[in-house]
Amino acid sequence: DAGITQSPRHKVTETGTPVTLRCHQTENHRYMYWYRQDPGHGLRLIHYSYGVKDTDKGEVSDGYSVSRSKTEDFLLTLESATSSQTSVYFCATSGVTTNEKLFFGSGTQLSVL
Amino acid sequence: EDQVTQSPEALRLQEGESSSLNCSYTVSGLRGLFWYRQDPGKGPEFLFTLYSAGEEKEKERLKATLTKKESFLHITAPKPEDSATYLCAVGSYGGATNKLIFGTGTLLAVQP
């Protein structure tokens, strides 16, 4: 299994504060993704990266930004957190030859009060 | 618009009672259909990829099948450890590379 570490695992923050979630992978996978998972909506793609400094938007990107300065690290930032961004966030990766098979981290539970 | 619908939302089985989960999809061109298992508090874990109608994959008590409109995950003689949420996802040629569309999942509970 791919080594994907997300931090923090849990976070409680207040509306209007910036929040950064971190994802670190040890598999040298090219593609990295941020998803959010909410009841009734399934997993929805926020942003993804297809290489260092190469990122693109997913279906629910408003209010989020990402950065990838190294192959192994992918950061998700909520510029000004809102209660609607309370969710479980998952990082995922996929390699070059099996780029459709996603490997997921254990998730970050974020609560915005 | 590409869509994935899973049914039922929840399923409760007795140990040994076989059943099937359904994943219906609408895509412009199927690039692949994926099944994942998700345990509480964890990320989804990959189970199978199916690429064309008629294809079947098996792993222990699980068997996934694919038609042009839907996929089934058959669970034979389930055990309590099979309890989890099962997610279906599709990738389409009409969508951007590596962007999968996920269903909302089926929560399976297997009682001893």
Side-chain angles (χ1 to χ4, degrees), chain A residues 9 31 33 37 40-43 45 48 57 90 99-102 104-106, chain B residues 31 34 36 38 41-44 46 51 87 96-100 102-104:
Chain A
R9 289 297 315 275
Y31 298 94
Y33 313 79
Q37 187 174 41
H41 288 280
L43 285 158
L45 182 65
Y48 71 102
K57 296 179 180 180
F90 287 100
N99 58 3
E100 296 167 346
K101 175 181 176 180
L102 297 179
F104 285 86
S106 296
Chain B
R31 182 163 55 83
F34 307 84
Y36 290 84
Q38 186 174 20
K42 296 187 177 181
F46 173 79
Y51 293 105
L87 303 174
T97 301
N98 290 322
K99 292 184 180 180
L100 300 186
F102 282 84
T104 54

PDB file of all heavy atoms in Angstrom, chain A residues 9 31 33 37 40-43 45 48 57 90 99-102 104-106, chain B residues 31 34 36 38 41-44 46 51 87 96-100 102-104:
ATOM      1  N   ARG A   9      -4.953  14.909  12.026  1.00  0.00           N
ATOM      2  CA  ARG A   9      -6.052  13.962  11.861  1.00  0.00           C
ATOM      3  C   ARG A   9      -7.381  14.585  12.254  1.00  0.00           C
ATOM      4  O   ARG A   9      -8.431  14.238  11.710  1.00  0.00           O
ATOM      5  CB  ARG A   9      -5.815  12.703  12.709  1.00  0.00           C
ATOM      6  CG  ARG A   9      -4.710  11.802  12.194  1.00  0.00           C
ATOM      7  CD  ARG A   9      -5.015  11.215  10.803  1.00  0.00           C
ATOM      8  NE  ARG A   9      -6.364  10.706  10.648  1.00  0.00           N
ATOM      9  CZ  ARG A   9      -6.750   9.488  11.009  1.00  0.00           C
ATOM     10  NH1 ARG A   9      -5.913   8.667  11.571  1.00  0.00           N
ATOM     11  NH2 ARG A   9      -8.002   9.101  10.818  1.00  0.00           N
ATOM     12  N   TYR A  31       0.498  11.818  -9.370  1.00  0.00           N
ATOM     13  CA  TYR A  31      -0.751  12.537  -9.160  1.00  0.00           C
ATOM     14  C   TYR A  31      -1.137  12.558  -7.680  1.00  0.00           C
ATOM     15  O   TYR A  31      -1.036  11.543  -6.990  1.00  0.00           O
ATOM     16  CB  TYR A  31      -1.883  11.870  -9.947  1.00  0.00           C
ATOM     17  CG  TYR A  31      -1.671  11.869 -11.440  1.00  0.00           C
ATOM     18  CD1 TYR A  31      -1.078  10.786 -12.068  1.00  0.00           C
ATOM     19  CD2 TYR A  31      -2.068  12.944 -12.207  1.00  0.00           C
ATOM     20  CE1 TYR A  31      -0.884  10.783 -13.436  1.00  0.00           C
ATOM     21  CE2 TYR A  31      -1.875  12.954 -13.581  1.00  0.00           C
ATOM     22  CZ  TYR A  31      -1.285  11.871 -14.186  1.00  0.00           C
ATOM     23  OH  TYR A  31      -1.088  11.855 -15.537  1.00  0.00           O
ATOM     24  N   TYR A  33      -4.323  14.247  -4.989  1.00  0.00           N
ATOM     25  CA  TYR A  33      -5.683  14.775  -5.011  1.00  0.00           C
ATOM     26  C   TYR A  33      -6.133  15.146  -3.605  1.00  0.00           C
ATOM     27  O   TYR A  33      -5.708  14.529  -2.627  1.00  0.00           O
ATOM     28  CB  TYR A  33      -6.667  13.720  -5.526  1.00  0.00           C
ATOM     29  CG  TYR A  33      -6.254  12.982  -6.774  1.00  0.00           C
ATOM     30  CD1 TYR A  33      -5.343  11.934  -6.716  1.00  0.00           C
ATOM     31  CD2 TYR A  33      -6.785  13.329  -8.015  1.00  0.00           C
ATOM     32  CE1 TYR A  33      -4.967  11.252  -7.861  1.00  0.00           C
ATOM     33  CE2 TYR A  33      -6.418  12.642  -9.167  1.00  0.00           C
ATOM     34  CZ  TYR A  33      -5.511  11.606  -9.070  1.00  0.00           C
ATOM     35  OH  TYR A  33      -5.144  10.935 -10.209  1.00  0.00           O
ATOM     36  N   GLN A  37     -15.441  14.539   1.904  1.00  0.00           N
ATOM     37  CA  GLN A  37     -16.499  13.541   1.986  1.00  0.00           C
ATOM     38  C   GLN A  37     -17.561  14.016   2.952  1.00  0.00           C
ATOM     39  O   GLN A  37     -17.269  14.266   4.127  1.00  0.00           O
ATOM     40  CB  GLN A  37     -15.944  12.182   2.442  1.00  0.00           C
ATOM     41  CG  GLN A  37     -16.966  11.059   2.387  1.00  0.00           C
ATOM     42  CD  GLN A  37     -16.352   9.715   2.693  1.00  0.00           C
ATOM     43  OE1 GLN A  37     -15.516   9.575   3.583  1.00  0.00           O
ATOM     44  NE2 GLN A  37     -16.760   8.684   1.936  1.00  0.00           N
ATOM     45  N   GLY A  40     -24.330  12.028   2.054  1.00  0.00           N
ATOM     46  CA  GLY A  40     -25.242  12.300   0.954  1.00  0.00           C
ATOM     47  C   GLY A  40     -24.579  12.805  -0.310  1.00  0.00           C
ATOM     48  O   GLY A  40     -25.224  12.920  -1.350  1.00  0.00           O
ATOM     49  N   HIS A  41     -23.268  13.122  -0.238  1.00  0.00           N
ATOM     50  CA  HIS A  41     -22.570  13.648  -1.411  1.00  0.00           C
ATOM     51  C   HIS A  41     -21.448  12.756  -1.895  1.00  0.00           C
ATOM     52  O   HIS A  41     -20.943  12.923  -2.990  1.00  0.00           O
ATOM     53  CB  HIS A  41     -21.978  15.030  -1.106  1.00  0.00           C
ATOM     54  CG  HIS A  41     -23.001  16.101  -0.991  1.00  0.00           C
ATOM     55  ND1 HIS A  41     -23.572  16.722  -2.075  1.00  0.00           N
ATOM     56  CD2 HIS A  41     -23.569  16.671   0.087  1.00  0.00           C
ATOM     57  CE1 HIS A  41     -24.436  17.623  -1.669  1.00  0.00           C
ATOM     58  NE2 HIS A  41     -24.475  17.613  -0.374  1.00  0.00           N
ATOM     59  N   GLY A  42     -21.055  11.823  -1.109  1.00  0.00           N
ATOM     60  CA  GLY A  42     -19.929  11.014  -1.524  1.00  0.00           C
ATOM     61  C   GLY A  42     -18.637  11.811  -1.528  1.00  0.00           C
ATOM     62  O   GLY A  42     -18.540  12.912  -0.974  1.00  0.00           O
ATOM     63  N   LEU A  43     -17.645  11.287  -2.175  1.00  0.00           N
ATOM     64  CA  LEU A  43     -16.347  11.953  -2.292  1.00  0.00           C
ATOM     65  C   LEU A  43     -16.386  12.934  -3.456  1.00  0.00           C
ATOM     66  O   LEU A  43     -16.747  12.567  -4.580  1.00  0.00           O
ATOM     67  CB  LEU A  43     -15.241  10.924  -2.530  1.00  0.00           C
ATOM     68  CG  LEU A  43     -14.818  10.105  -1.320  1.00  0.00           C
ATOM     69  CD1 LEU A  43     -14.157   8.813  -1.755  1.00  0.00           C
ATOM     70  CD2 LEU A  43     -13.856  10.922  -0.466  1.00  0.00           C
ATOM     71  N   LEU A  45     -14.096  15.922  -5.562  1.00  0.00           N
ATOM     72  CA  LEU A  45     -12.739  16.382  -5.814  1.00  0.00           C
ATOM     73  C   LEU A  45     -12.645  17.899  -5.636  1.00  0.00           C
ATOM     74  O   LEU A  45     -13.420  18.651  -6.224  1.00  0.00           O
ATOM     75  CB  LEU A  45     -12.315  15.993  -7.232  1.00  0.00           C
ATOM     76  CG  LEU A  45     -10.896  16.353  -7.636  1.00  0.00           C
ATOM     77  CD1 LEU A  45      -9.882  15.583  -6.798  1.00  0.00           C
ATOM     78  CD2 LEU A  45     -10.683  16.050  -9.121  1.00  0.00           C
ATOM     79  N   TYR A  48      -6.503  18.899  -7.673  1.00  0.00           N
ATOM     80  CA  TYR A  48      -5.552  17.816  -7.889  1.00  0.00           C
ATOM     81  C   TYR A  48      -4.266  18.372  -8.483  1.00  0.00           C
ATOM     82  O   TYR A  48      -4.213  19.517  -8.956  1.00  0.00           O
ATOM     83  CB  TYR A  48      -6.138  16.709  -8.763  1.00  0.00           C
ATOM     84  CG  TYR A  48      -6.322  17.057 -10.214  1.00  0.00           C
ATOM     85  CD1 TYR A  48      -5.432  16.605 -11.176  1.00  0.00           C
ATOM     86  CD2 TYR A  48      -7.406  17.822 -10.634  1.00  0.00           C
ATOM     87  CE1 TYR A  48      -5.599  16.907 -12.508  1.00  0.00           C
ATOM     88  CE2 TYR A  48      -7.587  18.129 -11.957  1.00  0.00           C
ATOM     89  CZ  TYR A  48      -6.699  17.662 -12.905  1.00  0.00           C
ATOM     90  OH  TYR A  48      -6.871  17.972 -14.220  1.00  0.00           O
ATOM     91  N   LYS A  57      -8.189  22.661 -10.777  1.00  0.00           N
ATOM     92  CA  LYS A  57      -9.374  22.656  -9.935  1.00  0.00           C
ATOM     93  C   LYS A  57     -10.218  21.410 -10.143  1.00  0.00           C
ATOM     94  O   LYS A  57     -10.276  20.868 -11.255  1.00  0.00           O
ATOM     95  CB  LYS A  57     -10.221  23.896 -10.235  1.00  0.00           C
ATOM     96  CG  LYS A  57      -9.543  25.209  -9.902  1.00  0.00           C
ATOM     97  CD  LYS A  57     -10.443  26.379 -10.256  1.00  0.00           C
ATOM     98  CE  LYS A  57      -9.775  27.699  -9.917  1.00  0.00           C
ATOM     99  NZ  LYS A  57     -10.648  28.867 -10.246  1.00  0.00           N
ATOM    100  N   PHE A  90      -9.855  13.979   2.487  1.00  0.00           N
ATOM    101  CA  PHE A  90      -8.966  12.879   2.140  1.00  0.00           C
ATOM    102  C   PHE A  90      -7.981  13.314   1.061  1.00  0.00           C
ATOM    103  O   PHE A  90      -8.358  13.939   0.066  1.00  0.00           O
ATOM    104  CB  PHE A  90      -9.753  11.680   1.622  1.00  0.00           C
ATOM    105  CG  PHE A  90     -10.507  10.948   2.692  1.00  0.00           C
ATOM    106  CD1 PHE A  90     -11.864  11.157   2.860  1.00  0.00           C
ATOM    107  CD2 PHE A  90      -9.859  10.041   3.518  1.00  0.00           C
ATOM    108  CE1 PHE A  90     -12.564  10.486   3.845  1.00  0.00           C
ATOM    109  CE2 PHE A  90     -10.550   9.363   4.498  1.00  0.00           C
ATOM    110  CZ  PHE A  90     -11.911   9.583   4.671  1.00  0.00           C
ATOM    111  N   ASN A  99      -2.678   4.995 -13.092  1.00  0.00           N
ATOM    112  CA  ASN A  99      -3.124   6.314 -12.662  1.00  0.00           C
ATOM    113  C   ASN A  99      -4.610   6.418 -12.414  1.00  0.00           C
ATOM    114  O   ASN A  99      -5.112   7.496 -12.117  1.00  0.00           O
ATOM    115  CB  ASN A  99      -2.704   7.370 -13.682  1.00  0.00           C
ATOM    116  CG  ASN A  99      -3.244   7.081 -15.056  1.00  0.00           C
ATOM    117  OD1 ASN A  99      -3.983   6.127 -15.249  1.00  0.00           O
ATOM    118  ND2 ASN A  99      -2.861   7.890 -16.022  1.00  0.00           N
ATOM    119  N   GLU A 100      -5.309   5.313 -12.517  1.00  0.00           N
ATOM    120  CA  GLU A 100      -6.721   5.362 -12.174  1.00  0.00           C
ATOM    121  C   GLU A 100      -6.997   4.727 -10.836  1.00  0.00           C
ATOM    122  O   GLU A 100      -8.056   4.869 -10.283  1.00  0.00           O
ATOM    123  CB  GLU A 100      -7.537   4.671 -13.260  1.00  0.00           C
ATOM    124  CG  GLU A 100      -7.444   5.374 -14.596  1.00  0.00           C
ATOM    125  CD  GLU A 100      -7.985   4.529 -15.709  1.00  0.00           C
ATOM    126  OE1 GLU A 100      -8.191   3.330 -15.510  1.00  0.00           O
ATOM    127  OE2 GLU A 100      -8.207   5.088 -16.799  1.00  0.00           O
ATOM    128  N   LYS A 101      -6.064   3.989 -10.321  1.00  0.00           N
ATOM    129  CA  LYS A 101      -6.232   3.343  -9.024  1.00  0.00           C
ATOM    130  C   LYS A 101      -5.744   4.316  -7.972  1.00  0.00           C
ATOM    131  O   LYS A 101      -4.574   4.662  -7.929  1.00  0.00           O
ATOM    132  CB  LYS A 101      -5.422   2.058  -8.994  1.00  0.00           C
ATOM    133  CG  LYS A 101      -5.418   1.345  -7.661  1.00  0.00           C
ATOM    134  CD  LYS A 101      -4.550   0.100  -7.786  1.00  0.00           C
ATOM    135  CE  LYS A 101      -4.424  -0.623  -6.465  1.00  0.00           C
ATOM    136  NZ  LYS A 101      -3.580  -1.828  -6.599  1.00  0.00           N
ATOM    137  N   LEU A 102      -6.646   4.801  -7.145  1.00  0.00           N
ATOM    138  CA  LEU A 102      -6.303   5.784  -6.139  1.00  0.00           C
ATOM    139  C   LEU A 102      -5.948   5.117  -4.821  1.00  0.00           C
ATOM    140  O   LEU A 102      -6.582   4.146  -4.410  1.00  0.00           O
ATOM    141  CB  LEU A 102      -7.473   6.742  -5.917  1.00  0.00           C
ATOM    142  CG  LEU A 102      -7.905   7.605  -7.098  1.00  0.00           C
ATOM    143  CD1 LEU A 102      -9.083   8.479  -6.702  1.00  0.00           C
ATOM    144  CD2 LEU A 102      -6.764   8.455  -7.602  1.00  0.00           C
ATOM    145  N   PHE A 104      -5.615   6.162  -0.820  1.00  0.00           N
ATOM    146  CA  PHE A 104      -6.101   7.219   0.062  1.00  0.00           C
ATOM    147  C   PHE A 104      -5.371   7.256   1.390  1.00  0.00           C
ATOM    148  O   PHE A 104      -4.939   6.211   1.917  1.00  0.00           O
ATOM    149  CB  PHE A 104      -7.594   7.020   0.351  1.00  0.00           C
ATOM    150  CG  PHE A 104      -8.495   7.382  -0.796  1.00  0.00           C
ATOM    151  CD1 PHE A 104      -8.777   6.459  -1.789  1.00  0.00           C
ATOM    152  CD2 PHE A 104      -9.055   8.646  -0.876  1.00  0.00           C
ATOM    153  CE1 PHE A 104      -9.619   6.788  -2.850  1.00  0.00           C
ATOM    154  CE2 PHE A 104      -9.892   8.988  -1.927  1.00  0.00           C
ATOM    155  CZ  PHE A 104     -10.170   8.054  -2.909  1.00  0.00           C
ATOM    156  N   GLY A 105      -5.266   8.460   1.945  1.00  0.00           N
ATOM    157  CA  GLY A 105      -4.819   8.618   3.311  1.00  0.00           C
ATOM    158  C   GLY A 105      -5.956   8.338   4.268  1.00  0.00           C
ATOM    159  O   GLY A 105      -7.080   7.994   3.851  1.00  0.00           O
ATOM    160  N   SER A 106      -5.705   8.506   5.553  1.00  0.00           N
ATOM    161  CA  SER A 106      -6.697   8.178   6.571  1.00  0.00           C
ATOM    162  C   SER A 106      -7.679   9.313   6.856  1.00  0.00           C
ATOM    163  O   SER A 106      -8.627   9.123   7.612  1.00  0.00           O
ATOM    164  CB  SER A 106      -5.996   7.773   7.873  1.00  0.00           C
ATOM    165  OG  SER A 106      -5.245   6.592   7.663  1.00  0.00           O
TER     166      SER A 106
ATOM    167  N   ARG B  31     -14.241   4.748 -18.953  1.00  0.00           N
ATOM    168  CA  ARG B  31     -12.806   4.463 -18.953  1.00  0.00           C
ATOM    169  C   ARG B  31     -12.495   3.376 -17.933  1.00  0.00           C
ATOM    170  O   ARG B  31     -11.515   2.652 -18.066  1.00  0.00           O
ATOM    171  CB  ARG B  31     -12.055   5.759 -18.645  1.00  0.00           C
ATOM    172  CG  ARG B  31     -10.553   5.658 -18.645  1.00  0.00           C
ATOM    173  CD  ARG B  31      -9.945   7.068 -18.753  1.00  0.00           C
ATOM    174  NE  ARG B  31     -10.411   7.978 -17.722  1.00  0.00           N
ATOM    175  CZ  ARG B  31      -9.915   8.054 -16.508  1.00  0.00           C
ATOM    176  NH1 ARG B  31      -8.942   7.239 -16.157  1.00  0.00           N
ATOM    177  NH2 ARG B  31     -10.395   8.919 -15.635  1.00  0.00           N
ATOM    178  N   PHE B  34     -14.667   1.453 -10.632  1.00  0.00           N
ATOM    179  CA  PHE B  34     -13.828   1.080  -9.505  1.00  0.00           C
ATOM    180  C   PHE B  34     -14.686   0.815  -8.278  1.00  0.00           C
ATOM    181  O   PHE B  34     -15.648   1.539  -8.011  1.00  0.00           O
ATOM    182  CB  PHE B  34     -12.837   2.216  -9.186  1.00  0.00           C
ATOM    183  CG  PHE B  34     -12.049   2.663 -10.379  1.00  0.00           C
ATOM    184  CD1 PHE B  34     -12.559   3.593 -11.269  1.00  0.00           C
ATOM    185  CD2 PHE B  34     -10.800   2.134 -10.623  1.00  0.00           C
ATOM    186  CE1 PHE B  34     -11.839   4.001 -12.376  1.00  0.00           C
ATOM    187  CE2 PHE B  34     -10.072   2.541 -11.732  1.00  0.00           C
ATOM    188  CZ  PHE B  34     -10.599   3.469 -12.611  1.00  0.00           C
ATOM    189  N   TYR B  36     -14.389   0.384  -4.062  1.00  0.00           N
ATOM    190  CA  TYR B  36     -13.562   0.611  -2.888  1.00  0.00           C
ATOM    191  C   TYR B  36     -14.325   0.172  -1.654  1.00  0.00           C
ATOM    192  O   TYR B  36     -15.558   0.218  -1.607  1.00  0.00           O
ATOM    193  CB  TYR B  36     -13.217   2.103  -2.733  1.00  0.00           C
ATOM    194  CG  TYR B  36     -12.260   2.645  -3.754  1.00  0.00           C
ATOM    195  CD1 TYR B  36     -12.709   3.067  -4.993  1.00  0.00           C
ATOM    196  CD2 TYR B  36     -10.897   2.737  -3.480  1.00  0.00           C
ATOM    197  CE1 TYR B  36     -11.833   3.575  -5.940  1.00  0.00           C
ATOM    198  CE2 TYR B  36     -10.012   3.246  -4.422  1.00  0.00           C
ATOM    199  CZ  TYR B  36     -10.492   3.658  -5.644  1.00  0.00           C
ATOM    200  OH  TYR B  36      -9.614   4.146  -6.582  1.00  0.00           O
ATOM    201  N   GLN B  38     -14.555   1.102   2.490  1.00  0.00           N
ATOM    202  CA  GLN B  38     -14.166   2.106   3.468  1.00  0.00           C
ATOM    203  C   GLN B  38     -14.637   1.702   4.853  1.00  0.00           C
ATOM    204  O   GLN B  38     -15.833   1.529   5.082  1.00  0.00           O
ATOM    205  CB  GLN B  38     -14.736   3.487   3.099  1.00  0.00           C
ATOM    206  CG  GLN B  38     -14.242   4.597   4.010  1.00  0.00           C
ATOM    207  CD  GLN B  38     -14.684   5.974   3.574  1.00  0.00           C
ATOM    208  OE1 GLN B  38     -15.641   6.141   2.825  1.00  0.00           O
ATOM    209  NE2 GLN B  38     -13.964   7.007   4.013  1.00  0.00           N
ATOM    210  N   GLY B  41     -13.680   5.791   9.953  1.00  0.00           N
ATOM    211  CA  GLY B  41     -12.494   6.526  10.360  1.00  0.00           C
ATOM    212  C   GLY B  41     -11.278   6.298   9.488  1.00  0.00           C
ATOM    213  O   GLY B  41     -10.172   6.740   9.833  1.00  0.00           O
ATOM    214  N   LYS B  42     -11.457   5.644   8.346  1.00  0.00           N
ATOM    215  CA  LYS B  42     -10.331   5.365   7.462  1.00  0.00           C
ATOM    216  C   LYS B  42     -10.631   5.827   6.046  1.00  0.00           C
ATOM    217  O   LYS B  42     -11.771   6.108   5.686  1.00  0.00           O
ATOM    218  CB  LYS B  42     -10.001   3.871   7.471  1.00  0.00           C
ATOM    219  CG  LYS B  42      -9.534   3.354   8.822  1.00  0.00           C
ATOM    220  CD  LYS B  42      -9.054   1.925   8.719  1.00  0.00           C
ATOM    221  CE  LYS B  42      -8.511   1.436  10.049  1.00  0.00           C
ATOM    222  NZ  LYS B  42      -8.012   0.034   9.964  1.00  0.00           N
ATOM    223  N   GLY B  43      -9.593   5.873   5.245  1.00  0.00           N
ATOM    224  CA  GLY B  43      -9.770   6.213   3.853  1.00  0.00           C
ATOM    225  C   GLY B  43     -10.217   5.003   3.044  1.00  0.00           C
ATOM    226  O   GLY B  43     -10.046   3.858   3.468  1.00  0.00           O
ATOM    227  N   PRO B  44     -10.811   5.231   1.873  1.00  0.00           N
ATOM    228  CA  PRO B  44     -11.219   4.107   1.020  1.00  0.00           C
ATOM    229  C   PRO B  44     -10.024   3.247   0.617  1.00  0.00           C
ATOM    230  O   PRO B  44      -8.928   3.759   0.384  1.00  0.00           O
ATOM    231  CB  PRO B  44     -11.825   4.810  -0.198  1.00  0.00           C
ATOM    232  CG  PRO B  44     -12.241   6.145   0.298  1.00  0.00           C
ATOM    233  CD  PRO B  44     -11.208   6.513   1.315  1.00  0.00           C
ATOM    234  N   PHE B  46      -8.821   0.354  -2.179  1.00  0.00           N
ATOM    235  CA  PHE B  46      -9.150  -0.166  -3.507  1.00  0.00           C
ATOM    236  C   PHE B  46      -9.459  -1.666  -3.473  1.00  0.00           C
ATOM    237  O   PHE B  46      -8.758  -2.452  -2.826  1.00  0.00           O
ATOM    238  CB  PHE B  46      -7.977   0.106  -4.439  1.00  0.00           C
ATOM    239  CG  PHE B  46      -8.110  -0.527  -5.789  1.00  0.00           C
ATOM    240  CD1 PHE B  46      -8.908   0.044  -6.755  1.00  0.00           C
ATOM    241  CD2 PHE B  46      -7.441  -1.706  -6.084  1.00  0.00           C
ATOM    242  CE1 PHE B  46      -9.029  -0.532  -8.004  1.00  0.00           C
ATOM    243  CE2 PHE B  46      -7.557  -2.292  -7.336  1.00  0.00           C
ATOM    244  CZ  PHE B  46      -8.353  -1.712  -8.296  1.00  0.00           C
ATOM    245  N   TYR B  51     -13.274  -2.756 -16.695  1.00  0.00           N
ATOM    246  CA  TYR B  51     -13.112  -1.870 -17.840  1.00  0.00           C
ATOM    247  C   TYR B  51     -14.155  -2.064 -18.939  1.00  0.00           C
ATOM    248  O   TYR B  51     -14.447  -1.133 -19.687  1.00  0.00           O
ATOM    249  CB  TYR B  51     -11.727  -2.054 -18.453  1.00  0.00           C
ATOM    250  CG  TYR B  51     -10.601  -1.587 -17.570  1.00  0.00           C
ATOM    251  CD1 TYR B  51      -9.803  -2.501 -16.901  1.00  0.00           C
ATOM    252  CD2 TYR B  51     -10.342  -0.239 -17.411  1.00  0.00           C
ATOM    253  CE1 TYR B  51      -8.766  -2.076 -16.091  1.00  0.00           C
ATOM    254  CE2 TYR B  51      -9.314   0.205 -16.588  1.00  0.00           C
ATOM    255  CZ  TYR B  51      -8.530  -0.729 -15.939  1.00  0.00           C
ATOM    256  OH  TYR B  51      -7.512  -0.292 -15.142  1.00  0.00           O
ATOM    257  N   LEU B  87     -17.872   1.716  -1.825  1.00  0.00           N
ATOM    258  CA  LEU B  87     -17.984   2.849  -2.740  1.00  0.00           C
ATOM    259  C   LEU B  87     -17.719   2.409  -4.174  1.00  0.00           C
ATOM    260  O   LEU B  87     -16.839   1.584  -4.427  1.00  0.00           O
ATOM    261  CB  LEU B  87     -16.980   3.943  -2.379  1.00  0.00           C
ATOM    262  CG  LEU B  87     -17.050   4.514  -0.969  1.00  0.00           C
ATOM    263  CD1 LEU B  87     -15.882   5.481  -0.737  1.00  0.00           C
ATOM    264  CD2 LEU B  87     -18.364   5.224  -0.748  1.00  0.00           C
ATOM    265  N   ALA B  96     -12.053  14.824 -17.454  1.00  0.00           N
ATOM    266  CA  ALA B  96     -10.615  15.054 -17.434  1.00  0.00           C
ATOM    267  C   ALA B  96      -9.895  13.825 -16.905  1.00  0.00           C
ATOM    268  O   ALA B  96     -10.441  13.044 -16.143  1.00  0.00           O
ATOM    269  CB  ALA B  96     -10.297  16.259 -16.561  1.00  0.00           C
ATOM    270  N   THR B  97      -8.669  13.663 -17.313  1.00  0.00           N
ATOM    271  CA  THR B  97      -7.874  12.516 -16.896  1.00  0.00           C
ATOM    272  C   THR B  97      -7.799  12.424 -15.381  1.00  0.00           C
ATOM    273  O   THR B  97      -7.605  13.415 -14.704  1.00  0.00           O
ATOM    274  CB  THR B  97      -6.448  12.658 -17.450  1.00  0.00           C
ATOM    275  OG1 THR B  97      -6.514  12.740 -18.860  1.00  0.00           O
ATOM    276  CG2 THR B  97      -5.597  11.460 -17.047  1.00  0.00           C
ATOM    277  N   ASN B  98      -7.961  11.216 -14.869  1.00  0.00           N
ATOM    278  CA  ASN B  98      -7.807  10.924 -13.457  1.00  0.00           C
ATOM    279  C   ASN B  98      -8.867  11.542 -12.564  1.00  0.00           C
ATOM    280  O   ASN B  98      -8.703  11.582 -11.359  1.00  0.00           O
ATOM    281  CB  ASN B  98      -6.427  11.363 -12.957  1.00  0.00           C
ATOM    282  CG  ASN B  98      -5.347  10.494 -13.518  1.00  0.00           C
ATOM    283  OD1 ASN B  98      -5.527   9.303 -13.642  1.00  0.00           O
ATOM    284  ND2 ASN B  98      -4.251  11.089 -13.897  1.00  0.00           N
ATOM    285  N   LYS B  99      -9.934  12.060 -13.081  1.00  0.00           N
ATOM    286  CA  LYS B  99     -11.003  12.570 -12.238  1.00  0.00           C
ATOM    287  C   LYS B  99     -12.101  11.525 -12.193  1.00  0.00           C
ATOM    288  O   LYS B  99     -12.784  11.272 -13.177  1.00  0.00           O
ATOM    289  CB  LYS B  99     -11.531  13.888 -12.796  1.00  0.00           C
ATOM    290  CG  LYS B  99     -10.552  15.037 -12.701  1.00  0.00           C
ATOM    291  CD  LYS B  99     -11.187  16.327 -13.174  1.00  0.00           C
ATOM    292  CE  LYS B  99     -10.218  17.482 -13.078  1.00  0.00           C
ATOM    293  NZ  LYS B  99     -10.838  18.746 -13.537  1.00  0.00           N
ATOM    294  N   LEU B 100     -12.240  10.927 -11.024  1.00  0.00           N
ATOM    295  CA  LEU B 100     -13.265   9.911 -10.832  1.00  0.00           C
ATOM    296  C   LEU B 100     -14.508  10.529 -10.203  1.00  0.00           C
ATOM    297  O   LEU B 100     -14.418  11.464  -9.420  1.00  0.00           O
ATOM    298  CB  LEU B 100     -12.748   8.798  -9.929  1.00  0.00           C
ATOM    299  CG  LEU B 100     -11.514   8.024 -10.384  1.00  0.00           C
ATOM    300  CD1 LEU B 100     -11.249   6.872  -9.439  1.00  0.00           C
ATOM    301  CD2 LEU B 100     -11.683   7.528 -11.812  1.00  0.00           C
ATOM    302  N   PHE B 102     -17.573   9.600  -7.745  1.00  0.00           N
ATOM    303  CA  PHE B 102     -17.919   8.612  -6.748  1.00  0.00           C
ATOM    304  C   PHE B 102     -19.406   8.602  -6.462  1.00  0.00           C
ATOM    305  O   PHE B 102     -20.062   9.644  -6.469  1.00  0.00           O
ATOM    306  CB  PHE B 102     -17.178   8.901  -5.438  1.00  0.00           C
ATOM    307  CG  PHE B 102     -15.739   8.486  -5.447  1.00  0.00           C
ATOM    308  CD1 PHE B 102     -14.764   9.303  -5.982  1.00  0.00           C
ATOM    309  CD2 PHE B 102     -15.362   7.265  -4.919  1.00  0.00           C
ATOM    310  CE1 PHE B 102     -13.433   8.925  -6.003  1.00  0.00           C
ATOM    311  CE2 PHE B 102     -14.028   6.872  -4.926  1.00  0.00           C
ATOM    312  CZ  PHE B 102     -13.074   7.693  -5.473  1.00  0.00           C
ATOM    313  N   GLY B 103     -19.931   7.399  -6.184  1.00  0.00           N
ATOM    314  CA  GLY B 103     -21.265   7.283  -5.632  1.00  0.00           C
ATOM    315  C   GLY B 103     -21.228   7.552  -4.142  1.00  0.00           C
ATOM    316  O   GLY B 103     -20.154   7.736  -3.558  1.00  0.00           O
ATOM    317  N   THR B 104     -22.403   7.564  -3.527  1.00  0.00           N
ATOM    318  CA  THR B 104     -22.488   7.882  -2.100  1.00  0.00           C
ATOM    319  C   THR B 104     -22.284   6.662  -1.215  1.00  0.00           C
ATOM    320  O   THR B 104     -22.209   6.801   0.000  1.00  0.00           O
ATOM    321  CB  THR B 104     -23.830   8.536  -1.766  1.00  0.00           C
ATOM    322  OG1 THR B 104     -24.884   7.692  -2.246  1.00  0.00           O
ATOM    323  CG2 THR B 104     -23.949   9.909  -2.420  1.00  0.00           C
TER     324      THR B 104
END
